[in-house]
Amino acid sequence: LVDENVLRLHGTAVEEALGRFAHHVMPVPSGEASKSFAFLDRVLAEMFRRLVNRQWVCMAIGGGVTGDLAGFAASVYMRGIPVVQAATTLLAQVDSSMGGKTAVNSEFGKNLVGTFFQPLFVLSDTAFLDTLDAAQLRSAMAEVVKYGCIRDEALFNEIAKHAGSGFGDEALFDIISRCAAIKADVVNRDELDTGERMLLNFGHTVGHAIEKATGYGRI
Ligand code: GLY
């Protein structure tokens, strides 16, 4: 499952990378609307039509929407086929691709129907970040600030230092690695979100409420 913007911008590279494997590409429209029961149904139907079996691997190439949707589809298709998360947005690289949370949205709230389903591995290629727009980067930096607030004061101070001037490739790589290390550490101790992992929801809860109240996708 590949985010449609990723296909548009990096389709050739994606096809080249997948070329030596038998594969089918299904585009996922960008935006929260794709994290719906209706679209999940289409994904599962496509997998049945393509005769996907339990020897297959489902690969998510995109941001949080594609990753959550593909992870959920993989976790329920034939009671579970392996999933790989290839994160192409900064937000996915610092948070959503790791830790095994999958979901679709329901009328009762964001991410309320889903599974914990760990990927075989997570691939974060920072080259994808070059084509992200400023709003996407800003939104992801809020997630990085979260890690600073909950666990890493030095990271918080470094972000403050860069504010206004932006981040070079090396700084960004360092930030992604540090966020990933914090997340892995927390998830290793509380995979199922019954205690310490709730820290990772810092800021999410109010954000989800805003998204639900505005119909997902507008804010
Ligand atoms: N995004 C929060 C978590 O993975 O727990």
Side-chain angles (χ1 to χ4, degrees):
L1 282 98
V2 191
D3 174 274
E4 63 179 4
N5 285 328
V6 172
L7 264 187
R8 186 169 46 80
L9 296 163
H10 305 282
T12 311
V14 167
E15 277 296 341
E16 268 172 27
L18 296 176
R20 65 195 183 96
F21 304 101
H23 66 279
H24 295 289
V25 170
M26 183 170 180
V28 177
S30 302
E32 284 291 321
S34 293
K35 272 177 60 176
S36 64
F37 286 106
F39 197 72
L40 174 70
D41 197 37
R42 279 177 54 190
V43 170
L44 296 174
E46 180 75 4
M47 287 159 85
F48 284 115
R49 271 196 292 271
R50 297 285 187 181
L51 304 180
V52 171
N53 62 35
R54 292 164 57 84
Q55 311 303 313
W56 283 61
V57 171
C58 176
M59 189 163 190
I61 306 179
V65 167
T66 304
D68 281 9
L69 173 76
F72 191 36
S75 73
V76 294
Y77 184 81
M78 291 187 166
R79 297 203 174 89
I81 62 170
V83 67
V84 166
Q85 295 281 350
T88 62
T89 64
L90 184 57
L91 192 61
Q93 294 185 358
V94 298
D95 183 38
S96 63
S97 65
M98 298 168 287
K101 280 187 179 174
T102 82
V104 292
N105 300 324
S106 98
E107 63 175 298
F108 298 99
K110 181 165 163 141
N111 293 343
L112 286 188
V113 181
T115 52
F116 289 95
F117 194 66
Q118 296 300 336
L120 277 182
F121 63 89
V122 176
L123 177 71
S124 285
D125 184 341
T126 50
F128 282 110
L129 306 183
D130 292 342
T131 49
L132 284 184
D133 63 32
Q136 286 255 21
L137 284 170
R138 265 201 306 275
S139 130
M141 285 314 292
E143 196 65 39
V144 175
V145 170
K146 173 195 88 176
Y147 285 102
C149 291
I150 64 170
R151 204 31 76 78
D152 189 342
E153 192 176 343
L155 176 64
F156 187 89
N157 291 332
E158 274 168 48
I159 301 162
K161 226 172 46 200
H162 281 89
S165 59
F167 298 83
D169 284 352
E170 223 168 283
L172 215 46
F173 188 83
D174 179 58
I175 283 172
I176 294 165
S177 308
R178 284 164 74 173
C179 294
I182 294 171
K183 179 144 189 185
D185 186 50
V186 172
V187 172
N188 271 327
R189 276 193 297 273
D190 178 24
E191 181 186 2
L192 300 183
D193 205 9
T194 55
E196 184 182 352
R197 185 167 178 171
M198 290 182 198
L199 264 180
L200 297 175
N201 296 333
F202 178 60
H204 287 211
T205 315
V206 67
H208 291 182
I210 292 170
E211 283 190 88
K212 177 177 181 287
T214 54
Y216 301 115
R218 271 207 298 135
I219 297 181

